[in-house]
Amino acid sequence: MADLLIRNVDETVLQTLKRRAEARGTSLQHEAKDALGKGAMLTKADRRAVIDGLHRLWGERPPLSEGSVPFVRAEREENS
């Protein structure tokens, strides 16, 4: 894991993290890492953009109702 130094943290943010750590019985470092991790997660819009990008690269996927059955059958027939 990498180290990260953050300077000039807003005092309100720092106090909030300290209170949260005390209430949960964890360290300030744990709460700060947890907050950063949650903040760095992809939003629904970000996930949609990634999926749309993959669709553009690979082409549209089959309709959900069709599922993978035809692909598995075709693969089995080719290998039989």
Side-chain angles (χ1 to χ4, degrees), residues 17-38:
L17 290 173
K18 284 182 177 181
R19 282 193 301 276
R20 190 179 300 161
E22 186 175 344
R24 294 179 179 174
T26 62
S27 67
L28 173 60
Q29 178 181 343
H30 175 83
E31 291 301 321
K33 284 170 54 177
D34 188 51
L36 280 169
K38 288 177 182 174

Side-chain angles (χ1 to χ4, degrees), residues 35-56:
L36 280 169
K38 288 177 182 174
M41 295 178 116
L42 291 177
T43 65
K44 187 174 182 178
D46 292 336
R47 287 191 302 272
R48 172 62 20 204
V50 168
I51 291 168
D52 290 344
L54 291 173
H55 284 173
R56 282 192 299 277

